[in-house]
Amino acid sequence: MAEYLSSTFSNQEEDSEEEPKLKYERLSNGVTEILQKDAASCMTVHDKFLALGTHFGKVFLLDIQGNVTQKFEISSVKINQISLDESGEHVGICSEDGKVQVFGLYTREGFHENFDCPIKVVAVHPQFTRSNYKQFVTGGNKLLLYERNWLNRWKTSVLHEGEGSITNIQWRANLIAWSNNVGVKIYDIGTKQRITNVLRDNVSLRPDMYPCSLCWKDNATLIVGWGKSIKICVVKERNPTEMRDLPSRYVEIVSAFETEFFISGLAPLADQLVTLYFVKENSEHMDEEFRARPRLDIIQTLPESCEEISSDALTVRNFQDNECRDYRLEHSEGESLFYIISPKDIVVAKERDQDDHIDWLLEKKKYEEALMAAEISFKNIKRHDVQKIGMAYINHLVEKGDYDSAARKCQKVLGKNMDLWENEVYRFKTIGQLKAISQYLPRGDLRLRPAIYEMILHEFLKTDYEGFATLIREWPGELYNNMAIVQAVSDHLKRDPTNRTLLTTLAELYTYDQRYDKALEIYLKLRHKDVYQLIHKHNLFASIEDKIVLLMDFDKEKAVDMLLDNEDKISTDRVVEELADRPELLHVYLHKLFKRDHHKGQKYHERQIGLYAEYDRPNLLPFLRDSTHCPLEKALEVCQQRNFVEETVFLLSRMGNCRRALQMIMEELEDVDKAIEFAKEQDDAELWEDLISYSIDKPPFITGLLNNIGTHVDPILLIHRIKEGMEIPNLRDSLVKILQDYNLQILLREGCKKILVADSLSLLQKMHRTQMRGVRVDEENICESCHATILPSDMAKPFNVVVFHCRHMFHKECLPSSGTIPGVQFCNICSAKRRGPGGGILEMKK
């Protein structure tokens, strides 16, 4: 295990400041040679050694460095499982060709058997060394328990069968957990009872491609991972009073949650969980998925979810070719070692110790934290020696010429000691490295004397204008005498009056000194992007009324947005006045004003017609459509002068001269589709007649009409007027389309008729049901004719009442004559309402 994996793993964020929880090494030496010729199929870990099985049927015993100590030729095909007892003295092996061997490593006596089906798993009793625990189980199509009796013979018992192939077995103390195609079960070897059945969640996944992962956290806690699901199961003792015929133990699932990726292995780590994930990701260039590097995560389990503690992506060899079933995770409980097994690579993960922590801090340039960690780790370093150590480290860095690191170290080591700070500044001045320490000087509540900062600024001003500008931006203005620095910059500008860096810095100094007019003047001269921020932040709109053209020459979009956002400070009329001599800029301003509000600049709409025509024709037609204040005659004159056909057509149609508009479309645009569309919009029979008349001697136009006229005008009118012998392109297709349109209309009418009949019948039935309902008549109802109570006071006497469907009620003797239709009586009140005013009186007279 000599190869440290500096690049084999990476955190999800490679530049993350979070320290890794694990470190990785590749198992090499003898393993490297084995995997060059063969492939790993399984491995079992013991505190003393490792047992590796291969696809070519060999089993190798290795030391923890990966050196081969023993080799067994078991089969010619894949070794499926290796099981060790707690002492590491006995081993169980099974292979794909049905061979099962259980024997002592120090004696060859044991069990050897060949089955007629593949044996996927084998597990020996953890206490197999003891004579009364000579037991092991195998898993193929059924789960078999083998026990050696007092005659030294092996007795076989079937623990379970009938639910597909057994894929995993984990034996802990008296509990045997196994998985098959249906789920996970636990068997109590002491009471000979099966105590649980945990069903598989991801039933859509093939169990042979995404096998179940099992591991015991302790003698009572089983962790189950399958597909993307993890369950933590706790075996508990049942209350004796509740037993009846139930097993003495039961299982409670204390946590169940889904993961992002497919689970290839599980292992406990204190109260946390180590998970090995098989990862598939979508390709950037193709829709198909590809296999990514497997991930080893440490998670904290919660009842219904988990919290990620760390995550590492592992670059194991040939990971692009591996499936989920090709990975395994084995662990050594004694040393918290985790082995990631794949066909061509074995990687070992272990927890990082304090030395690793300090190395990581140094690697990340966290010298202060490294020193603190060393102080905690090595008790001989006392707290009052920290500054001494720090100063020694600074001196070492200065001697090496690493001035930047030395200056950075000053922040931690010098702290709030201003005397030490000033001493260091003068030392850096002596060695010509004031620039190195400048960015680390105190600039908060604790500060050095102004002369210190001014000394550094003067040093930059002599040799580095950009560095000087950076300090001016970063340092608060109260650190130094602002006027003295302004004078120094002005002196340098006399020698170099066009230097942009110096001019920009001078503007910033003026801004800090609240001399905004001078700063604005410099920014405008430089066409600097900060000019808009300066104007807005310090409300300098009064100062820019005569500088609008300059601002727009610099950046039209920003300038217009600023002017429109502050119309209360600079009016539209003022802006238009300033831009009168620059019509191209005036158009940009008025166009944006119109986009914001169609009515604000209405008095300029007539002027905008010419501006759009001159500078922005694509937006002229949208402007004409949206503006309600634009003089149409003026717009028509401009468009006709410039021969803008589309705009002229729109204006003519808007002014009511549709026939002239249609004529222009046909004669000047020669666009039959546009002409037809125009005629459809206007829906005017005379326009259709004009269109037909114009098109009648133009075959392409006739084709267009035949294709589109069917639903608006009777196509017979057009067909009758076509001259005999005229050759019309695609005539057959056009006639077919006319017939199809006609058929469609007929179908639509028939469909509407069916719907109408169905609706009428439904409404008639609804009305009939409504009219058949009873009507409540009580003492509160009155006769609509005599206005007396409808029910007599003496209900014993016979009486007749007439109730209409309109809910009007009459005594029979109060009803007028039946009317014109014999035997049919109508409510005279409702009849009078239909006839109009006075009808009721006439009815009553009758």
Side-chain angles (χ1 to χ4, degrees):
M1 196 161 42
E3 183 183 353
Y4 177 69
L5 300 187
S6 58
S7 60
T8 294
F9 81 96
S10 63
N11 292 91
Q12 285 179 312
E13 298 181 8
E14 294 184 358
D15 297 330
S16 172
E17 290 299 313
E18 184 177 351
E19 183 177 0
K21 302 295 182 184
L22 302 170
K23 62 181 178 180
Y24 299 84
E25 297 174 352
R26 175 166 280 126
L27 200 61
S28 55
N29 298 326
V31 172
T32 302
E33 184 178 349
I34 293 170
L35 298 186
Q36 285 176 348
K37 302 175 182 178
D38 205 339
S41 60
C42 60
M43 193 172 86
T44 300
V45 177
H46 192 271
D47 292 343
K48 301 175 183 177
F49 62 92
L50 313 173
L52 173 65
T54 73
H55 279 258
F56 289 171
K58 299 177 179 60
V59 173
F60 297 90
L61 300 187
L62 314 167
D63 61 20
I64 58 174
Q65 281 79 33
N67 298 303
V68 178
T69 58
Q70 276 185 279
K71 176 182 176 182
F72 301 98
E73 298 278 353
I74 302 297
S75 173
S76 60
V77 295
K78 184 175 74 169
I79 302 296
N80 284 329
Q81 183 70 45
I82 302 173
S83 176
L84 295 169
D85 66 350
E86 291 179 353
S87 68
E89 297 179 5
H90 293 83
V91 61
I93 303 170
C94 65
S95 58
E96 190 68 16
D97 58 358
K99 289 182 180 179
V100 176
Q101 297 187 21
V102 179
F103 56 88
L105 293 176
Y106 306 104
T107 172
R108 296 310 299 267
E109 296 180 358
F111 177 89
H112 301 268
E113 185 66 65
N114 290 333
F115 292 86
D116 58 358
C117 65
I119 302 299
K120 298 295 184 181
V121 283
V122 63
V124 299
H125 194 293
Q127 301 292 329
F128 192 88
T129 304
R130 299 168 61 180
S131 59
N132 54 336
Y133 289 118
K134 298 294 184 183
Q135 298 171 313
F136 68 92
V137 290
T138 62
N141 294 328
K142 59 183 71 175
L143 183 68
L144 297 176
L145 172 66
Y146 293 84
E147 301 175 277
R148 191 154 69 180
N149 58 23
W150 62 279
L151 293 175
N152 207 28
R153 295 179 180 175
W154 291 98
K155 173 189 173 184
T156 306
S157 306
V158 178
L159 299 184
H160 188 72
E161 64 179 329
E163 292 183 352
S165 178
I166 310 295
T167 57
N168 198 346
I169 301 176
Q170 295 295 325
W171 194 331
R172 180 77 173 234
N174 286 332
L175 298 176
I176 304 173
W178 74 93
S179 63
N180 55 29
N181 293 351
V182 175
V184 175
K185 298 166 178 60
I186 301 178
Y187 183 82
D188 189 338
I189 196 72
T191 62
K192 301 188 182 302
Q193 293 175 317
R194 198 176 76 191
I195 58 177
T196 191
N197 181 16
V198 181
L199 294 177
R200 176 162 66 104
D201 289 337
N202 307 103
V203 293
S204 62
L205 298 176
R206 288 174 51 184
D208 59 326
M209 296 296 292
Y210 298 90
C212 176
S213 296
L214 299 174
C215 74
W216 288 97
K217 181 180 178 181
D218 51 45
N219 288 350
T221 305
L222 176 68
I223 304 171
V224 180
W226 209 332
K228 295 184 178 182
S229 171
I230 291 181
K231 294 179 181 178
I232 299 180
C233 310
V234 177
V235 180
K236 296 185 176 181
E237 297 289 339
R238 196 183 300 276
N239 191 320
T241 60
E242 300 176 355
M243 280 189 186
R244 300 190 185 101
D245 297 330
L246 299 174
S248 60
R249 295 183 181 184
Y250 68 98
V251 169
E252 179 181 341
I253 299 177
V254 298
S255 177
F257 53 89
E258 293 291 319
T259 61
E260 184 178 359
F261 304 109
F262 297 103
I263 298 160
S264 291
L266 299 168
L269 177 62
D271 61 340
Q272 296 170 343
L273 186 62
V274 179
T275 58
L276 177 63
Y277 291 127
F278 170 70
V279 182
K280 283 186 177 180
E281 294 181 352
N282 290 325
S283 172
E284 295 180 359
H285 307 291
M286 297 178 289
D287 294 334
E288 62 186 24
E289 293 180 332
F290 68 94
R291 298 165 189 140
R293 294 183 295 169
R295 286 182 19 164
L296 192 69
D297 285 14
I298 299 176
I299 60 175
Q300 181 68 56
T301 60
L302 303 172
E304 296 181 355
S305 63
C306 65
E307 177 184 350
E308 182 182 291
I309 306 301
S310 72
S311 179
D312 299 325
L314 310 178
T315 309
V316 300
R317 295 188 179 105
N318 296 355
F319 68 87
Q320 301 93 336
D321 301 327
N322 293 339
E323 297 283 356
C324 181
R325 63 183 176 184
D326 294 325
Y327 293 107
R328 298 200 183 195
L329 178 64
E330 300 290 340
H331 70 288
S332 171
E333 298 180 6
E335 301 181 27
S336 292
L337 295 175
F338 303 93
Y339 294 81
I340 299 93
I341 300 101
S342 66
K344 288 296 182 180
D345 205 359
I346 300 175
V347 175
V348 187
K350 63 173 65 176
E351 288 188 280
R352 298 168 63 87
D353 56 23
Q354 188 69 2
D355 289 340
D356 296 316
H357 175 59
I358 295 173
D359 289 342
W360 181 83
L361 291 172
L362 293 174
E363 178 186 341
K364 292 294 183 180
K365 311 298 183 188
K366 298 183 178 183
Y367 299 110
E368 304 85 4
E369 296 180 37
L371 189 60
M372 291 176 62
E375 179 185 13
I376 296 171
S377 180
F378 306 108
K379 302 300 183 182
N380 59 326
I381 299 181
K382 298 180 181 178
R383 182 65 60 183
H384 66 268
D385 289 333
V386 170
Q387 193 171 72
K388 180 178 178 182
I389 294 171
M391 288 301 299
Y393 184 61
I394 291 173
N395 294 335
H396 172 68
L397 292 173
V398 169
E399 291 172 3
K400 280 176 45 179
D402 192 355
Y403 303 112
D404 184 73
S405 297
R408 188 188 308 118
K409 190 66 178 174
C410 289
Q411 286 184 306
K412 177 69 175 179
V413 174
L414 304 182
K416 300 178 181 179
N417 192 322
M418 296 299 106
D419 292 334
L420 285 177
W421 265 112
E422 292 197 6
N423 290 338
E424 285 303 305
V425 171
Y426 282 113
R427 178 165 76 147
F428 274 73
K429 175 179 172 59
T430 302
I431 60 178
Q433 291 296 328
L434 276 177
K435 291 182 180 180
I437 202 170
S438 61
Q439 58 181 313
Y440 304 110
L441 292 182
R443 51 181 97 163
D445 295 335
L446 293 171
R447 299 172 181 173
L448 306 177
R449 290 180 296 115
I452 300 294
Y453 300 101
E454 291 169 19
M455 177 177 66
I456 293 174
L457 287 173
H458 282 292
E459 179 70 20
F460 272 92
L461 195 53
K462 292 177 185 176
T463 59
D464 184 0
Y465 287 164
E466 293 294 337
F468 172 77
T470 300
L471 288 184
I472 293 298
R473 284 193 295 270
E474 292 179 353
W475 283 1
E478 59 269 17
L479 290 180
Y480 48 85
N481 185 329
N482 193 68
M483 290 304 299
I485 302 302
V486 167
Q487 185 59 49
V489 174
S490 300
D491 292 342
H492 278 266
L493 278 171
K494 291 175 183 178
R495 298 191 292 271
D496 190 1
T498 60
N499 188 284
R500 288 185 61 87
T501 302
L502 288 180
L503 286 169
T504 303
T505 308
L506 183 59
E508 293 173 0
L509 290 168
Y510 279 139
T511 301
Y512 177 76
D513 208 28
Q514 298 184 7
R515 289 190 277 180
Y516 302 123
D517 287 345
K518 286 185 173 293
L520 181 61
E521 184 178 344
I522 294 174
Y523 279 137
L524 285 174
K525 178 181 177 181
L526 295 174
R527 301 165 70 90
H528 196 281
K529 61 182 178 61
D530 289 346
V531 66
Y532 300 102
Q533 181 182 356
L534 180 71
I535 294 168
H536 181 76
K537 184 176 181 180
H538 300 292
N539 197 20
L540 304 179
F541 296 99
S543 302
I544 65 167
E545 286 191 353
D546 58 346
K547 300 180 178 65
I548 293 174
V549 174
L550 288 174
L551 286 167
M552 291 195 66
D553 278 337
F554 171 33
D555 190 326
K556 291 191 288 291
E557 297 297 324
K558 280 190 176 180
V560 171
D561 287 340
M562 181 187 70
L563 293 170
L564 293 177
D565 290 340
N566 297 276
E567 289 181 83
D568 56 328
K569 301 180 179 69
I570 301 181
S571 67
T572 299
D573 294 339
R574 177 61 177 163
V575 176
V576 173
E577 180 184 345
E578 284 293 314
L579 298 176
D581 296 332
R582 295 291 299 276
E584 74 281 6
L585 299 180
L586 177 60
H587 165 68
V588 174
Y589 174 78
L590 291 176
H591 174 65
K592 278 211 167 186
L593 176 64
F594 179 75
K595 284 295 185 182
R596 288 199 178 192
D597 190 330
H598 293 350
H599 307 289
K600 271 191 177 179
Q602 57 184 276
K603 67 180 181 179
Y604 301 111
H605 284 198
E606 181 176 352
R607 191 172 182 177
Q608 282 185 266
I609 297 170
L611 294 174
Y612 276 110
E614 181 68 27
Y615 302 106
D616 190 8
R617 185 191 169 183
N619 280 313
L620 174 57
L621 188 55
F623 170 74
L624 295 174
R625 286 198 183 104
D626 295 339
S627 172
T628 57
H629 308 286
C630 175
L632 299 180
E633 295 82 2
K634 173 67 175 177
L636 182 60
E637 180 185 347
V638 171
C639 293
Q640 286 178 334
Q641 287 175 353
R642 295 174 179 267
N643 197 28
F644 290 172
V645 178
E646 290 189 21
E647 292 81 355
T648 303
V649 168
F650 168 76
L651 291 169
L652 287 171
S653 65
R654 188 167 176 180
M655 296 169 72
N657 195 349
C658 295
R659 300 188 73 178
R660 174 59 184 150
L662 180 61
Q663 183 182 359
M664 289 191 68
I665 295 174
M666 294 187 294
E667 293 179 354
E668 299 191 31
L669 293 180
E670 296 183 351
D671 189 338
V672 64
D673 293 331
K674 197 172 189 69
I676 293 170
E677 188 64 31
F678 182 79
K680 289 179 181 178
E681 291 176 359
Q682 304 303 320
D683 195 20
D684 187 336
E686 291 184 1
L687 287 181
W688 282 109
E689 179 63 28
D690 291 346
L691 180 56
I692 292 172
S693 298
Y694 179 82
S695 305
I696 203 64
D697 59 346
K698 299 176 181 63
F701 273 51
I702 293 176
T703 300
L705 284 172
L706 289 173
N707 286 334
N708 293 276
I709 201 173
T711 55
H712 299 274
V713 179
D714 187 354
I716 298 299
L717 297 176
L718 173 62
I719 294 171
H720 280 326
R721 296 175 63 178
I722 299 174
K723 296 178 181 179
E724 288 189 18
M726 178 181 286
E727 185 175 340
I728 300 173
N730 301 317
L731 176 60
R732 185 186 63 180
D733 295 340
S734 300
L735 293 176
V736 169
K737 187 175 187 304
I738 289 174
L739 293 174
Q740 288 175 340
D741 290 345
Y742 177 76
N743 287 335
L744 179 61
Q745 290 186 31
I746 297 300
L747 289 173
L748 285 173
R749 289 179 182 178
E750 290 178 353
C752 292
K753 181 179 178 181
K754 289 180 181 179
I755 293 171
L756 181 61
V757 170
D759 286 350
S760 299
L761 179 60
S762 175
L763 291 172
L764 179 62
Q765 291 172 342
K766 182 178 180 181
M767 183 183 74
H768 183 261
R769 288 195 301 271
T770 302
Q771 291 179 346
M772 291 295 291
R773 292 175 184 168
V775 180
R776 180 183 177 85
V777 180
D778 56 26
E779 61 274 4
E780 294 182 359
N781 298 110
I782 62 172
C783 173
E784 298 293 344
S785 179
C786 67
H787 299 292
T789 306
I790 197 72
L791 298 177
S793 56
D794 187 2
M795 297 292 291
K797 295 180 179 180
F799 64 95
N800 291 317
V801 174
V802 177
V803 181
F804 290 97
H805 290 303
C806 58
R807 298 301 186 264
H808 290 132
M809 302 179 186
F810 297 88
H811 294 124
K812 186 173 183 180
E813 58 271 16
C814 295
L815 277 172
S817 60
S818 60
T820 59
I821 304 175
V824 178
Q825 184 71 51
F826 297 98
C827 174
N828 62 310
I829 294 176
C830 296
S831 298
K833 286 181 181 178
R834 287 192 291 271
R835 287 195 300 273
I841 297 173
L842 294 174
E843 185 68 28
M844 295 304 292
K845 286 181 179 179
K846 291 180 182 178

